[in-house]
Amino acid sequence: VTVAYNKDTSPNKLNLGVGAYRTEVKWDFIFRGLESCVDSFRFVSRVKEYLGITGLADFNKLSAKLILGADSPAIQDNRVTTVQCLSGTGSLRVGAEFLARHYHEQKTIYIPNPTWGNHPKIFNLAGLSVKTYRYYDPATKGLDFQGLLEDLGAAPSGAIVLLHACAHNPTGVDPTLEQWEQIRQLIRSKQLLPFFDSAYQGFASGSLDADAESVRMFVADGGECLAAQSYAKNMGLYGERVGALSIVCKAADVASRVESQLKLVIRPMYSNPPIHGASIVAAILKDSEMYQEWTVELKAMADRILSMRQQLFEALSARGTPGDWSHIIKQIGMFTFTGLNSEQVAFMTKEYHIYMTSDGRISMAGLSSRTVPHLADAIHAAVTRST
Amino acid sequence: MWRLQLIRKPWRCFSTSAGVRRWFDSVGPAAKDPLQAVTEAFNSDPFPQKINLGLGAYRDEQGKPLVLQCVQQAEEKIRGCNLLDSVSAPVASATLVEECVKLVYGRSVNVVKEKRFAGVPALSGTGACRLFAEFQRNFFPESAIYLPDPTWTNHHNIWANAHVPVRTFHYYHPHLRGLDFAALIDDVKNAPDGSFFLLHPCAHNPTGIDPTEDQWSEISNLFKMKNHFPFFDMAYQGLATGDVDKDASSIRIFLEDGHLIGCAQSFTKTMGLFGHRTGCLSLLCADRDQAVRVKSQLQRIAGAIYGSPPVHGIVLLSTILGDQALKSIWFKEVKAMASRIQSMRAKLRERLELTGSSLNWEHITKQVGMFWFPGLTPEQVDRLAKEFHVYMTPDGRMSMAGVTTSNVRYLANAVHEVTKCR
């Protein structure tokens, strides 16, 4: 998509393909606090020794607190092992390889349909077999809750289940808290192992705590789970590959053994993780002023996306575009699954220079107040032309 | 109040922990990484004259890690650059690969000029090897990897974790403390045609023993006859002899003989870029089209492991290698590091010979690179640690980079003490 977009010479071209945050005016987001932080981190480069295999200890502790909550009993009981990894991808891969090696139950992971394109690749190459569970209902453009419960209910005992902590990618469809509770009960009663992918904490609702509720719910019941965290989007650190994998175990001694085995997965993969990005994140998380600044900017990012959703919905309503477009404001996070088909998408690209993935997914972050009307026109034309 | 809590956090009251499965109870404790164990033992030792010769990381005359000038200047140069925009990384990656390839194969060789290489930035040497191992498993699923005996311990883990069977070939001759060339040639001959071999192009880790140029030529010819795939793990270019071209001569012999080579490049030790995890993996191809296809596969495999390497390290390395002035500074600095190590070898040998030891210490100055491999027994290694507070990896490998003019005499005496009854 990006290649085609770059080649297009139209002044009206719009790239809604890539999942990176864009501000109203600048085309790339850098959390403002990051800039001063990055600058003060030149000193890190002055000491160029290896990190340990599990990475920066401070970063790991702070990341665990961020996702599980500062007062998490699991953390207080020392039942959590956290290792620094290369963004979400690296965290998922390390977790998956660990499970493929040490998990004696089903080496099968159930992923939602649809999910991030890289998920099946990561798990397959790590040695897990991959199955799917129903997730998105094209008819409602919402959650196929019944299908989800049925499919997870039918999964063999011990299977691993991948859950998007919030802001499901690509659909933007999240379970409600009540639905999450039902999912939790089902997973625990069926003895399934939850593996969370948290790539948008803070970004989805604007609240770091609210966006971690699903994970915390599972940890609160005392059970075990895995959680992969990425700082690519919520700290704008795409390039620096900063992430963490936390494994919540039943007891402290188990967590310690698990950590020793994680090291054996990591060392033959890349020996130890990169220092730069993690140092920046740790500095921000532990400084209350910078942390505050960050939460404020996160809320602003989330609010801007919410406002884009609202504007697009209103623009389509104003044009009388046929169909129910309420899913635009019901879905959450960076992406909207518009429900447009590949033919309509191709039409929008050709005639209106709108670039998006052929599954009809658009990145709301790629929109601005200025470009919303153009997109609305394109959608309207695509939907009304053949009917 | 109980009711209020019920409404606010209903799930807390429905804990099912009594019936919740414990998945990880059966996970056993992993064997500690030998290097980490050494470091921990060293760190907890209160003896003031203790010496850490475990980690293969360069130390200066004061025993401190060195931040190279070229790196500091490069950091200044990229300061204020927006490294997080979408343009930096691809441009820097391309520069990195191009410069790395030129550095190891030579600037003006055809394969470089004609762009017949598939190259990607990698997570240092480990990452480059692992990426190759995964590629090997994917496209040559029946193949095994032949590793020299001995080799860096992590090589075994890397290919094993990539599910590629590991075999070894003879390399070190314990009595000669030199290369077991005849046995090496035999093993290369007896391996099935088209086998994959991992070779250390210079400064073999852990032995410091490298084939001569003639021996490399012979190996290269035999590889041609057997159609073997040569994979080079280049971790010490510049640090072995002080001359980056000389240190790459083995690879260039193979290149001239027409082999399509694979090469992992690491800059952690030669540039002190430990924390940034920056290196390169390159595979030479038959033509440019093939190179494009192979590169796309490497990127696909990397995409499922970590996505891409961190941009800071990529920009740093590409800045140093891509800037003539900075690169010249680096050449001087790596030569200085190599010289210091060589002078420590000479001093250590001199000191050992002065102890009146009856043993032959010639190998100290014959071995090349960062490591000294004296062929100690486990008992001797143990004594060195417990009695003399000298730490090294369990195989008796010592990092010469940790030797300084102030500790060389102590070290010589310690080694003499534990070896003199032999």
Side-chain angles (χ1 to χ4, degrees), chain A residues 103-125:
Chain A
Y103 186 57
H104 297 299
E105 309 292 334
Q106 294 285 321
K107 290 194 211 288
T108 304
I109 185 162
Y110 281 73
I111 63 180
N113 180 16
T115 191
W116 180 42
N118 211 14
H119 277 145
K121 297 174 193 170
I122 295 172
F123 298 130
N124 269 319
L125 287 185

Side-chain angles (χ1 to χ4, degrees), chain B residues 127-336:
Chain B
C129 287
R130 178 60 179 267
L131 192 50
F132 178 75
E134 297 276 339
F135 177 86
Q136 182 186 349
R137 190 220 354 194
N138 199 163
F139 292 96
F140 305 94
E142 305 301 320
S143 70
I145 184 82
Y146 283 78
L147 303 176
D149 178 17
T151 189
W152 180 43
T153 49
N154 209 18
H155 279 148
H156 286 265
N157 304 328
I158 290 169
W159 267 268
N161 276 28
H163 305 287
V164 173
V166 171
R167 314 224 191 292
T168 59
F169 63 92
H170 283 88
Y171 192 86
Y172 175 68
H173 195 307
H175 295 139
L176 299 177
R177 284 197 194 80
L179 188 64
D180 192 349
F181 190 58
L184 186 158
I185 290 294
D186 262 351
D187 286 348
V188 171
K189 266 196 198 122
N190 295 330
D193 285 8
S195 292
F196 287 74
F197 279 76
L198 178 123
L199 303 166
H200 298 224
C202 68
H204 179 271
N205 175 5
T207 68
I209 291 157
D210 292 338
T212 62
E213 283 204 11
D214 285 340
Q215 289 173 325
W216 276 122
S217 288
E218 205 176 316
I219 297 170
S220 171
N221 282 331
L222 190 49
F223 265 56
K224 281 216 92 163
M225 290 189 330
K226 295 284 297 179
N227 238 338
H228 288 330
F229 184 98
F231 183 74
F232 287 93
D233 184 2
M234 174 66 103
Y236 300 103
Q237 188 176 7
L239 212 52
T241 64
D243 180 332
V244 296
D245 290 312
K246 216 160 159 205
D247 287 352
S249 52
S250 58
I251 292 181
R252 294 175 191 187
I253 288 172
F254 274 69
L255 192 60
E256 256 188 62
D257 287 350
H259 292 282
L260 291 183
I261 295 164
C263 184
Q265 284 169 276
S266 162
F267 294 87
T268 49
K269 298 164 184 56
T270 56
M271 241 186 234
L273 290 181
F274 298 99
H276 288 300
R277 319 308 299 138
T278 306
C280 184
L281 171 69
S282 59
L283 300 181
L284 299 186
C285 300
D287 54 56
R288 209 162 167 170
D289 286 340
Q290 187 182 84
V292 170
R293 292 197 305 271
V294 169
K295 178 175 164 170
S296 72
Q297 292 293 346
L298 293 176
Q299 288 171 320
R300 175 186 67 85
I301 295 171
I305 308 179
Y306 51 83
S308 53
V311 68
H312 191 93
I314 291 178
V315 173
L316 201 55
L317 182 61
S318 66
T319 300
I320 294 169
L321 293 181
D323 178 317
Q324 266 310 115
L326 288 178
K327 192 155 73 167
S328 304
I329 297 176
W330 175 55
F331 285 156
K332 288 203 186 78
E333 291 188 286
V334 78
K335 186 165 179 18

Side-chain angles (χ1 to χ4, degrees), chain A residues 22 26 28-30 34 38-39 42 45-51 53 73 86-87 89-91 93-94 97-99 101-105 118 121-122 125-126 157-159 177 181 184-185 188 190-194 213 216-217 220-226 235-241 247-251 254 257-258 260-261 263-276, chain B residues 9-12 14-33 35-36 40 55-59 65-67 71-72 75-76 78-86 123-124 126-128 130-131 134 137-138 152-154 157-163 268-269 271-277 300-313 316:
Chain A
R22 302 277 183 262
K26 277 191 345 159
D28 288 280
F29 167 71
I30 295 183
L34 205 68
V38 166
D39 226 47
R42 296 304 167 195
S45 306
R46 307 219 166 267
V47 180
K48 294 213 175 291
E49 294 290 274
Y50 293 111
L51 283 179
I53 298 172
L86 277 91
S87 205
T89 305
S91 307
R93 178 61 181 253
V94 169
E97 277 210 21
F98 167 78
L99 291 173
R101 244 167 258 285
H102 295 285
Y103 186 57
H104 297 299
E105 309 292 334
N118 211 14
K121 297 174 193 170
I122 295 172
L125 287 185
S157 169
L177 282 179
E181 169 57 12
R184 183 197 68 78
Q185 285 186 23
R188 293 310 194 193
K190 285 278 162 186
Q191 316 270 353
L192 307 174
L193 178 63
E213 248 344 312
R216 296 178 189 184
M217 195 187 288
D221 71 14
E224 295 172 325
C225 67
L226 293 88
M235 283 237 187
L237 282 169
Y238 316 103
E240 298 297 354
R241 319 307 295 139
I247 302 189
V248 179
C249 307
K250 279 299 258 178
V254 177
R257 294 199 304 268
V258 165
S260 73
Q261 294 292 352
K263 287 181 186 173
L264 291 196
V265 168
I266 293 170
R267 180 147 158 79
M269 208 184 267
Y270 50 82
S271 283
N272 43 76
I275 197 172
H276 193 78
Chain B
K9 293 212 190 279
W11 47 87
R12 286 197 186 276
F14 293 124
S15 168
T16 52
S17 63
V20 173
R21 200 101 163 238
R22 299 166 64 111
W23 302 116
F24 305 124
D25 283 7
S26 57
V27 175
K32 218 171 218 170
D33 180 66
L35 205 44
Q36 201 177 7
E40 279 172 19
L55 183 63
Y58 184 78
R59 294 282 180 274
L66 183 66
V67 179
V71 174
Q72 288 185 46
E75 289 274 26
E76 281 306 312
I78 67 182
R79 183 189 185 119
C81 288
N82 179 3
L83 292 189
L84 303 175
D85 70 29
S86 45
L123 290 171
S124 203
T126 308
R130 178 60 179 267
L131 192 50
E134 297 276 339
R137 190 220 354 194
N138 199 163
W152 180 43
T153 49
N154 209 18
N157 304 328
I158 290 169
W159 267 268
N161 276 28
H163 305 287
T268 49
K269 298 164 184 56
M271 241 186 234
L273 290 181
F274 298 99
H276 288 300
R277 319 308 299 138
R300 175 186 67 85
I301 295 171
I305 308 179
Y306 51 83
S308 53
V311 68
H312 191 93
L316 201 55

Side-chain angles (χ1 to χ4, degrees), chain A residues 97-255:
Chain A
E97 277 210 21
F98 167 78
L99 291 173
R101 244 167 258 285
H102 295 285
Y103 186 57
H104 297 299
E105 309 292 334
Q106 294 285 321
K107 290 194 211 288
T108 304
I109 185 162
Y110 281 73
I111 63 180
N113 180 16
T115 191
W116 180 42
N118 211 14
H119 277 145
K121 297 174 193 170
I122 295 172
F123 298 130
N124 269 319
L125 287 185
L128 298 176
S129 67
V130 177
K131 293 200 156 71
T132 61
Y133 60 91
R134 277 170 284 170
Y135 192 84
Y136 177 70
D137 183 353
T140 61
K141 299 188 190 63
L143 185 65
D144 180 358
F145 194 47
Q146 264 320 109
L148 181 157
L149 292 177
E150 274 172 34
D151 287 350
L152 291 187
S157 169
I160 309 157
V161 180
L162 180 81
L163 302 162
H164 293 224
C166 70
H168 179 270
N169 174 6
T171 68
V173 170
D174 284 348
T176 62
L177 282 179
E178 289 71 32
Q179 288 172 326
W180 268 122
E181 169 57 12
Q182 278 187 263
I183 294 169
R184 183 197 68 78
Q185 285 186 23
L186 176 63
I187 283 180
R188 293 310 194 193
S189 70
K190 285 278 162 186
Q191 316 270 353
L192 307 174
L193 178 63
F195 193 157
F196 283 94
D197 184 0
S198 173
Y200 299 100
Q201 188 182 3
F203 209 103
S205 68
S207 155
L208 287 160
D209 289 322
D211 288 350
E213 248 344 312
S214 57
V215 181
R216 296 178 189 184
M217 195 187 288
F218 277 73
V219 175
D221 71 14
E224 295 172 325
C225 67
L226 293 88
Q229 280 168 281
S230 165
Y231 290 95
K233 316 252 184 330
N234 61 9
M235 283 237 187
L237 282 169
Y238 316 103
E240 298 297 354
R241 319 307 295 139
V242 197
L245 170 71
S246 286
I247 302 189
V248 179
C249 307
K250 279 299 258 178
D253 63 310
V254 177

